[in-house]
Amino acid sequence: MGSLTDIGVSAGLNILSAVGFLLAFAVLRIQPINDRVYFPKWYLKGTRSSPRQLGTAFSKFVNADLSTYIRFLNWMPAALKMPEPELIEHAGLDSAVYVRIYLLGLKIFVPIALLAFSVLVPVNWTSGTLENEKGLSYDEIDKLSISNLGKGSKRFWAHIAMSYVFTFWTFFVLYHEYKVVTTMRLRFLANQNRRPDQYTVLVRNVPPDPDESVSEHVEHFFAVNHRDHYLSHQIVYNANHLSGLVETKKGLQNWLIYYENKHAKNPAKRPKIKTGLWGLWGQRVDAIEYYQKEIENLCKQEDEERQKVITDPNYIMPAAFVSFKTQWGAAVCAQTQQTSNPTVWLTDWAPEPRDVFWANLAIPFVELSVRRLTVAVAFFFLTFFFMIPIAIVQSLANVDDLEKVLPFLKPIIERNSLQAVIQGFLPGIVLKIFLILLPTILMAMSKIEGHTSLSGLDRRTAMKYYIFLFVNVFLGSVITGTAFQQLDNFIHQSANKIPEVIGESIPMKATFFMTYIMVDGWSGIAAEVLRLKPLVIFHIKNAFLVRTEHDREQAMDPGSLDFYNSEPRLQLYFLLGLVYAVVTPMLLPFIIVFFSLAYLVFRHQIINVYSQRYESGAQFWPDVHMRLIIALIVSQILLLGLLSTQEAEKSTVALLPLPVLSIWFHHVCKGRFEPAFVKFPLQDAMVKDTLELARDPTLNLREYLKGAYVHPVFQKNDIYKVVAMDEEEKNPIVVTKRQSRMNTPGGSKLNSSSGGTNEGEFSRMLPT
C-alpha cells in the first residue's frame, strides 16, 4: 500500500484539477457566447432566448456584469432547489431516478463510514502487529486496515460484527429505495400523458404464409385473435441502406454549407478541393459545384432506394408494430403467448418511437441466437485478454516492481517528488486512458446482438461494462497487483504460505483504488460539468456551418446521461466501498466525496443540459439493484477468504450466513418489486382507458397513431396505409386469400352430405 505522502500528492493533484475544472466552468457558463453550450435544454424547450440578442457588440460575447462573477458559484444551490416532482416533469423519470443512485450511495456509505471510523479504525490502529513483523512491506495506511491485526486475533470479531451491521443497513436502504422507485414508476405511468407506445405492441417472427403478404397475415391474425381491440398495424421495412444514404447526404450538405459560407466571406475566390481520399489527392475541382453534384446524385439514389423499399417484398421484414384501441388490449397482447408455438408471433411492448433502434429491426429473428453466442465468445476474450495491460498498469503502482522491470530508470524514479507522482497519480490516469474507448466497443457488440431499443442497448452494454470492470479493474488490480507486489515472498516462501501472503496483501491495493477514485471520480466528474468537447465543437460549427438561428440550434449538442457508460463505473464505486468498508475504512471518505460531487453535478446537468433520448420509466432499476447485491455478496466472500488466511476459523464460520442472507434478500425484492418493471397491470390499464375516454371522448386514435412507427427516413404518408377493420362497419368477416387447409387426411365422421365448404372459397368467420 502506498504511503500517506503518495496519497497526499495524488489528492492534491486531483483536487487542483477538479477545482480548476469547476472554476473554469463557473466562468465559462456565464459568458453569452457559451449560453447554448451550458443551457441547451432550456433552448430546446423554447423557454430561453440568447443573451447575445441584446447589449453592445462586446457584451454579446463577454459578460460585462461584474456582479455575476461574484455569484459564480450560485449554480450549486440552484441545482439542489428543484423539487423531485418538478424534476420528473422537467427531465423525465429516468433522469430523476438516475441521480437518486448517487444519493443512494450517500445513504449507504455515510453511516457506514461513521461506524467504521468509530469502531474499526481504533481497533486496527491499536493492534500494532505490522510493527512487530519482519520481512513484510507495509506503509502507514496499513496500520489503519485489517492488515494490522495478527493471526488468530480476537479483534476479528469486531470486523465480523460490523460486517453484519453494514449488511443489514445496506438491506434496509436498498429495500426502501426499491420501494420508493417502484412507487415513482407506477405513479409516473398512471399520470403519464398519452403516448403511442401505450397502445402499441412489437410483433416479431411472423411466420411466412404462401398465400398472403406479411401485412395481410398480420392483419388477419390480430383481427381474428384480438377482434375487439385490434386497430391497425405498421409493417417493418429494411431501410438500413436508405438510412446510410440519408446520413451521407447530411454530411455532404454540411460540407456544402461550409464552402458556401467560405465563398460568401471572400466572393472573389472560389473554394477548391481534391476529389481523392480525405481531400489529400486527386483532381482539383470547384468545391461548391462538386458537392452540389454529389448531393444531386445522392438524392436520385435515395429516391430510387425509397421506391425499392416500398415496392419490393424482399425489403419487408417478418415484424410489425400493432396498435390497439385500448391500453388494456395492448397490455393483454404484449404480456401473453399468442399461439401454441412459442417461437412465432412473439409480442412485447413496443419501445416509444424515439427509443426504437431501427437498424436492428431488419435483423431476421433466427439470426439473434447465433449473433448473441458470437458476441458472448468475443466478450469473453476481450475481458480476459485485457488483463495484460492491467498487469502493466499495476506494475506502475509499485516503485520497487518498476525498478526491477526497468532498472535503468532507478536513478530517476528514486527522486522523492517523482516517486510520489508515480505511485499516487500515474496508475489511475493510465488505467483511465485504457478504458476510454471500451464503452464504445461494448455498445457496438450489443448492437450486433440485435436489441431493438436504445434503452435495451444501454442496459445490455451496462451489464457488459460492469462485468468488464469487475474482472479487470477490480479483480485484475487485486490479483495482478498482489502477484507483483509480493513476488519475492512467493519465491522465498513455501507453497503453503502463499495463500496467507495473498490474504494479507488484498488490503494493500486500497491505495491504488483511492487514486483511481480521485482520477476517475473527482477529476472526471468536474470535467463532465465543464463540457470541454461540446464547447469546442459548438464554436467550430458556429464559425463554419451556422447561417440562421435554426442552424445554431442544430449545432447544439446537449448530450444525454449515457447510462451504459456512467452507471457501471458508478457501480464500481459501490463495490469498492462495500469491499473496503471492513478491510480498509480509509477508502470510504474518497467514495463519499465522489458521490456528493457527482450528485450535485449530474443534478445540474439533467436540469440544464442533457436532453433525453428516450423515456423508459426507470426500467433499469432492477439491474441497478442486482449489481448492488452482487457487490455486497462479493464483499462478504472476499472478507471470508481474507479471514480464512488469518487462523480465524471460528470467525470465518460466523460469516457464512451473510451471502445466503444476501441472496434471500435479493429474491424477496425481486418477487416484491420487479413485476412492476416488467409488466403493466391490467387493472391500471383499464383505469387509464376509462380516464382517457372521459378526458377526450372524440379522440381519433387511428389518426393519432398514424405514422408513429414509420421509419424516420420516410414521410408519414409515404408508406402508411390503414390496414384495420373499420370500426363503424363492424364487419364480422375477414376476407383472406389463404387457401383452405380444413381438409383432413381421412373422411370425417362428422361429415355432412349437404352444405359443405368449398376449398378455395373459404372466408374466415369471426364469432358473433
Side-chain angles (χ1 to χ4, degrees):
M1 187 179 288
S3 66
L4 287 174
T5 303
D6 298 335
I7 295 175
V9 170
S10 179
L13 291 172
N14 284 286
I15 289 172
L16 285 176
S17 62
V19 170
F21 287 142
L22 293 174
L23 288 177
F25 162 71
V27 173
L28 289 172
R29 66 183 286 273
I30 61 177
Q31 307 308 317
I33 196 173
N34 299 327
D35 203 58
R36 291 181 182 271
V37 178
Y38 294 110
F39 300 96
K41 189 159 195 167
W42 298 103
Y43 281 94
L44 294 175
K45 284 179 172 287
T47 57
R48 189 180 181 95
S49 58
S50 175
R52 299 184 65 189
Q53 296 176 354
L54 304 173
T56 63
F58 177 77
S59 63
K60 289 182 179 180
F61 296 91
V62 179
N63 189 346
D65 185 0
L66 296 180
S67 63
T68 58
Y69 292 90
I70 299 174
R71 303 189 305 270
F72 70 96
L73 292 179
N74 64 354
W75 67 272
M76 293 184 177
L80 302 175
K81 281 183 180 178
M82 184 176 286
E84 191 168 64
E86 185 179 344
L87 183 65
I88 294 173
E89 183 179 354
H90 173 71
L93 185 65
D94 281 345
S95 299
V97 170
Y98 178 81
V99 296
R100 285 187 68 94
I101 303 177
Y102 296 98
L103 194 60
L104 176 65
L106 294 175
K107 291 177 181 177
I108 291 175
F109 290 116
V110 169
I112 286 179
L114 292 175
L115 275 174
F117 275 84
S118 301
V119 178
L120 297 182
V121 170
V123 168
N124 296 336
W125 177 260
T126 56
S127 179
T129 301
L130 290 176
E131 295 177 351
N132 300 323
E133 287 284 340
K134 295 182 180 180
L136 182 67
S137 59
Y138 71 92
D139 290 291
E140 291 89 341
I141 294 181
D142 292 327
K143 296 178 181 179
L144 304 176
S145 74
I146 200 172
S147 297
N148 201 25
L149 270 62
K151 290 181 174 58
S153 173
K154 298 294 184 182
R155 298 185 180 218
F156 284 124
W157 286 105
H159 297 76
I160 293 171
M162 285 296 101
S163 181
Y164 271 90
V165 172
F166 297 165
T167 296
F168 286 120
W169 172 249
T170 306
F171 285 173
F172 172 77
V173 176
L174 288 180
Y175 185 88
H176 179 264
E177 194 67 18
Y178 213 152
K179 183 178 180 180
V180 169
V181 173
T182 301
T183 303
M184 291 170 65
R185 173 177 166 82
L186 293 175
R187 186 183 297 120
F188 177 79
L189 294 177
N191 298 330
Q192 196 177 35
N193 294 329
R194 184 191 309 123
R195 294 196 325 188
D197 55 291
Q198 297 167 342
Y199 296 89
T200 307
V201 170
L202 174 60
V203 183
R204 304 192 73 182
N205 212 25
V206 176
D209 189 284
D211 301 316
E212 294 184 326
S213 67
V214 173
S215 181
E216 292 168 337
H217 199 186
V218 170
E219 176 192 3
H220 292 152
F221 181 86
F222 286 96
V224 170
N225 296 293
H226 297 268
R227 64 183 186 275
D228 294 329
H229 300 280
Y230 169 67
L231 180 65
S232 63
H233 72 269
Q234 175 59 59
I235 56 176
V236 174
Y237 294 86
N238 183 355
N240 289 350
H241 181 59
L242 179 59
S243 298
L245 293 176
V246 171
E247 289 301 315
T248 302
K249 187 176 75 172
K250 287 181 181 179
L252 294 178
Q253 287 172 335
N254 286 337
W255 280 112
L256 178 61
I257 293 172
Y258 166 73
Y259 283 111
E260 286 177 342
N261 289 345
K262 187 175 181 180
H263 178 59
K265 294 176 182 178
N266 186 8
K269 185 178 179 181
R270 299 279 295 184
K272 303 284 185 180
I273 63 164
K274 293 181 179 180
T275 57
L277 182 64
W278 297 336
L280 298 177
W281 56 72
Q283 183 182 359
R284 194 171 182 83
V285 298
D286 184 283
I288 295 176
E289 293 179 358
Y290 171 77
Y291 282 110
Q292 286 175 340
K293 290 180 180 178
E294 289 292 313
I295 292 172
E296 184 179 349
N297 291 335
L298 268 179
C299 287
K300 293 179 181 178
Q301 295 179 42
E302 184 182 326
D303 291 339
E304 294 173 0
E305 182 68 17
R306 181 176 281 107
Q307 285 303 315
K308 189 185 298 184
V309 170
I310 295 173
T311 58
D312 191 342
N314 293 325
Y315 282 82
I316 298 176
M317 304 305 299
F321 290 98
V322 180
S323 298
F324 294 82
K325 300 173 186 176
T326 62
Q327 295 183 43
W328 188 92
V332 170
C333 181
Q335 298 167 179
T336 55
Q337 182 174 312
Q338 301 304 306
T339 69
S340 58
N341 184 352
T343 63
V344 297
W345 296 106
L346 304 176
T347 58
D348 199 358
W349 283 106
E352 64 165 322
R354 59 179 175 166
D355 189 20
V356 177
F357 188 66
W358 293 97
N360 279 358
L361 287 175
I363 299 174
F365 187 81
V366 293
E367 289 184 13
L368 295 182
S369 297
V370 177
R371 284 170 169 262
R372 289 172 186 176
L373 177 61
T374 304
V375 169
V377 173
F379 177 65
F380 174 83
F381 284 106
L382 173 67
T383 300
F384 286 94
F385 275 99
F386 205 83
M387 292 288 285
I388 297 172
I390 293 292
I392 296 173
V393 170
Q394 287 306 312
S395 68
L396 296 176
N398 189 282
V399 171
D400 296 333
D401 293 329
L402 194 59
E403 290 177 353
K404 291 174 186 177
V405 177
L406 302 172
F408 59 90
L409 293 178
K410 184 174 181 179
I412 301 174
I413 293 173
E414 288 186 345
R415 295 178 184 175
N416 291 335
S417 57
L418 188 59
Q419 181 175 335
V421 172
I422 290 173
Q423 286 198 307
F425 184 73
L426 189 59
I429 195 67
V430 172
L431 183 58
K432 176 73 173 175
I433 292 171
F434 269 119
L435 296 175
I436 286 177
L437 294 177
L438 183 65
T440 304
I441 296 171
L442 296 179
M443 175 58 78
M445 295 174 74
S446 295
K447 289 178 179 177
I448 293 172
E449 287 182 319
H451 302 285
T452 57
S453 66
L454 297 175
S455 56
L457 284 171
D458 276 355
R459 291 196 298 273
R460 289 296 301 172
T461 305
M463 177 58 74
K464 292 184 181 70
Y465 195 17
Y466 177 74
I467 294 172
F468 186 94
L469 291 176
F470 176 75
V471 172
N472 285 286
V473 177
F474 180 70
L475 290 182
S477 297
V478 171
I479 297 172
T480 308
T482 297
F484 274 99
Q485 197 163 17
Q486 299 295 338
L487 184 59
D488 283 340
N489 290 343
F490 285 166
I491 294 173
H492 295 101
Q493 288 184 356
S494 60
N496 61 354
K497 292 288 186 181
I498 292 177
E500 296 182 11
V501 176
I502 294 177
E504 290 174 342
S505 300
I506 287 175
M508 297 182 184
K509 297 312 299 177
T511 301
F512 168 77
F513 289 120
M514 289 176 190
T515 61
Y516 180 79
I517 292 168
M518 287 186 283
V519 171
D520 184 70
W522 299 4
S523 299
I525 292 298
E528 173 69 25
V529 76
L530 181 59
R531 306 196 78 226
L532 188 58
K533 179 182 175 182
L535 177 68
V536 172
I537 292 176
F538 172 78
H539 287 301
I540 291 174
K541 289 182 177 179
N542 195 35
F544 298 109
L545 299 178
V546 170
R547 289 178 176 176
T548 64
E549 284 298 313
H550 177 72
D551 293 336
R552 190 166 283 110
E553 286 186 10
Q554 295 296 314
M556 291 190 305
D557 179 20
S560 60
L561 278 172
D562 286 339
F563 178 82
Y564 71 95
N565 185 9
S566 55
E567 193 269 345
R569 290 160 49 200
L570 173 58
Q571 289 286 351
L572 179 62
Y573 298 129
F574 278 102
L575 174 63
L576 294 176
L578 292 171
V579 167
Y580 282 96
V582 176
V583 176
T584 308
M586 281 297 295
L587 185 134
L588 292 176
F590 297 88
I591 297 246
I592 291 171
V593 170
F594 162 76
F595 279 120
S596 302
L597 181 60
Y599 177 71
L600 179 67
V601 165
F602 278 102
R603 216 172 191 276
H604 171 272
Q605 297 295 82
I606 67 171
I607 291 173
N608 298 298
V609 181
Y610 295 146
S611 178
Q612 281 182 284
R613 295 185 300 161
Y614 58 80
E615 175 58 65
S616 71
Q619 204 167 8
F620 56 81
W621 190 260
D623 295 335
V624 173
H625 179 85
M626 181 186 68
R627 288 193 272 272
L628 287 170
I629 294 296
I630 291 172
L632 189 61
I633 294 172
V634 168
S635 69
Q636 294 160 354
I637 292 174
L638 288 181
L639 180 61
L640 195 152
L642 176 60
L643 293 185
S644 68
T645 66
Q646 302 298 314
E647 299 178 2
E649 292 80 4
K650 294 181 181 179
S651 305
T652 304
V653 172
L655 286 172
L656 290 177
L658 283 181
V660 178
L661 286 172
S662 299
I663 295 172
W664 169 80
F665 172 75
H666 172 64
H667 282 288
V668 169
C669 291
K670 184 180 177 72
R672 173 66 179 84
F673 301 117
E674 189 170 316
F677 295 84
V678 179
K679 299 177 181 179
F680 187 50
L682 295 181
Q683 182 184 30
D684 292 357
M686 184 62 74
V687 169
K688 289 205 69 176
D689 286 331
T690 304
L691 293 175
E692 195 69 50
L693 182 62
R695 188 182 301 116
D696 191 357
T698 61
L699 172 67
N700 186 342
L701 189 60
R702 182 178 298 163
E703 187 64 28
Y704 170 74
L705 296 173
K706 181 179 179 181
Y709 285 98
V710 172
H711 197 292
V713 297
F714 296 105
Q715 298 297 322
K716 286 186 179 180
N717 296 323
D718 280 349
I719 62 173
Y720 187 86
K721 182 175 69 173
V722 174
V723 282
M725 294 175 57
D726 194 321
E727 189 174 0
E728 283 73 32
E729 293 179 4
K730 297 187 181 299
N731 191 349
I733 300 177
V734 181
V735 180
T736 177
K737 298 177 183 178
R738 183 181 294 107
Q739 298 296 316
S740 174
R741 293 174 177 78
M742 296 185 67
N743 54 316
T744 59
S748 173
K749 295 180 179 179
L750 301 178
N751 206 350
S752 174
S753 59
S754 62
T757 303
N758 294 327
E759 187 172 349
E761 299 178 357
F762 171 72
S763 291
R764 180 178 297 164
M765 302 297 296
L766 290 175
T768 57

